Each structure stands twice: as C-alpha cells, then as structure tokens.
Amino acid sequence: ITNVAAAPGATLLYRRTGRQLFMKDADASTDGLPIVFQMAVNGLSEEVIDYHYAKLGNVDGNLAEAAAGANKDKLLPFGSALAAFTTRTLYSNVQGDHMVSWPNASIRKNSEMPTHLASVDKHGIVGETGPNAEDSSSNLNFEGRRQRLRRKFTIDMTCQRRLQDVMIESLQKLSWRRVDVKLGIAANKLPHNYIQARPADEHSLSVTNHLMDVLSN
C-alpha cells in the first residue's frame, strides 16, 4: 500500500492516531510540527526546532533561539528520553510487512539499505551491525552537529519526504544496533506478527532468543 492510499485509509480507520502516523496533524495545536516529527527531532536536533520557529516567527539569530525556547516546553521530549538509554536495538524484517517497512523499522534511508540481505538463502537473523563507530564514545555530540547543520540547514515543512529524511538523520545521531531478520511468509505467518514469534517456531524464536540475550547483557 502506498502512502497516498494509506494515509486517508489510516485516518478513516484510526482517526486522530491515523492522522498522526502519517504526519497529517501539522496544525495550530502542534505549531505546525507533527507529533511523530516532534518525537524524532525534539531533544536530538535543536537546530530543526530553532529553524522552524524562526520561520514561523520570521526571525533569525538569537531571536530564533529565544522564539524556540519559549515554545519547546510544550513539545514532546521523546528524543532526549531515547538518548538516555545506554543501548538501543532495532529488529527489522528485510521483506517488510503490512505495518512497518524495512527502512522505517531499521531507521535507514532507502539509499542506505543492505538490499543483498533480501536474497540471502537463510531464515532467521541474516544481518547485524553494531553502533556507528562515530557514536561509540558518546551517545550524542549535540554541539558539533548543531553548528555544522546550522550553517547549511533548510527544510520545507510541507514536504513529507524531506520531513522523513530529517527524522531519520536526527535519530541516526544516536548509536543503534540493527538486527535484520528474514522470515518466510505464509497464510498463517504475517511478517508483522511472525517476527514477534506468532506463530513460534525455530525461525521466529531465533529473534526472541536474540532479544533475550540483548536484554540480559
């Protein structure tokens, strides 16, 4: 299902939640910042928030930061909460599913996908990468990235593709362990459920056992 068809369908089925999932809630109540976008950006990429409020108030420089500061308290602090964890692990299905695509589940852009994993003749866990070397010494390096991005940062808040890229870039400032999983598909094995060991078998339980190991360590 494409985003074009899914967005109105999700809004019809899930009402407000559906609008939020597809970032259709950029209205006055959110200051033009969709809830999902806030969750990925606020606390991780302050330059994005500063830029948005600068454009909203038609100001720049120190006035932009002041404008942002006056409004940040009502934004969701999800990013900074996520940064508080010492480790973060992502499990993603290389075949995607009807709920979450492979790029979204693994927080990667399409150009960053290890597409060769989709053709691996194996089921269960087919790939695993650790935290980025750049981030291994620290969860976040806010100020360095903030200054680099401030000089070249632009964003069209009406362009959903650009918003998605900014969200991924923001979340990628954190270190992640990515576990790519390939599971067979059958009438009783929907990918979204199967990766959660529903039904439970040798392949799906390999994911559960891996998660148990991660949590125990």
Side-chain angles (χ1 to χ4, degrees):
I1 302 175
T2 65
N3 279 350
V4 174
T11 299
L12 181 64
L13 289 172
Y14 302 111
R15 304 297 179 180
R16 184 181 180 187
T17 299
R19 293 180 63 245
Q20 292 172 341
L21 285 173
F22 286 88
M23 295 193 292
K24 301 298 183 183
D25 58 328
D27 51 32
S29 66
T30 62
D31 279 353
L33 290 169
I35 294 297
V36 172
F37 185 78
Q38 290 182 36
M39 293 173 69
V41 172
N42 191 37
L44 295 175
S45 300
E46 299 304 305
E47 70 282 351
V48 178
I49 305 297
D50 291 347
Y51 178 88
H52 171 69
Y53 281 110
K55 299 293 285 186
L56 198 65
N58 195 27
V59 295
D60 55 20
N62 292 333
L63 290 176
E65 293 194 36
N71 291 279
K72 283 179 184 176
D73 287 346
K74 63 182 178 182
L75 301 181
L76 297 175
F78 181 81
S80 54
L82 187 60
F85 288 90
T86 55
T87 62
R88 288 157 293 274
T89 302
L90 299 165
Y91 290 88
S92 56
N93 194 327
V94 304
Q95 295 159 301
D97 62 39
H98 62 291
M99 295 290 287
V100 187
S101 68
W102 184 19
N104 284 354
S106 59
I107 309 182
R108 297 177 176 120
K109 295 181 181 180
N110 288 330
S111 59
E112 300 168 344
M113 301 305 298
T115 53
H116 66 281
L117 294 179
S119 58
V120 170
D121 187 19
K122 174 185 174 182
H123 288 92
I125 294 173
V126 295
E128 181 174 352
T129 57
N132 295 330
E134 178 187 350
D135 293 329
S136 60
S137 61
S138 174
N139 273 345
L140 288 173
N141 179 14
F142 282 124
E143 198 56 35
R145 291 188 180 96
R146 181 184 176 92
Q147 294 305 323
R148 288 202 303 273
L149 288 171
R150 185 182 295 283
R151 290 193 294 268
K152 60 182 181 180
F153 190 81
T154 59
I155 179 174
D156 178 359
M157 296 300 294
T158 65
C159 176
Q160 190 167 80
R161 172 57 62 187
R162 177 63 177 133
L163 292 182
Q164 291 170 352
D165 285 346
V166 171
M167 290 167 65
I168 291 174
E169 291 163 6
S170 181
L171 290 169
Q172 285 181 344
K173 292 180 179 180
L174 295 170
S175 56
W176 297 93
R177 173 185 291 171
R178 292 179 172 84
V179 182
D180 297 298
V181 180
K182 183 176 182 181
L183 299 171
I185 300 174
N188 67 329
K189 295 178 179 178
L190 293 176
H192 189 74
N193 297 333
Y194 196 18
I195 199 171
Q196 302 173 57
R198 296 182 295 165
D201 60 19
E202 176 188 0
H203 298 147
S204 62
L205 285 176
S206 69
V207 180
T208 303
N209 292 332
H210 187 282
L211 176 58
M212 290 172 64
D213 288 340
V214 169
L215 294 175
S216 65
N217 293 327

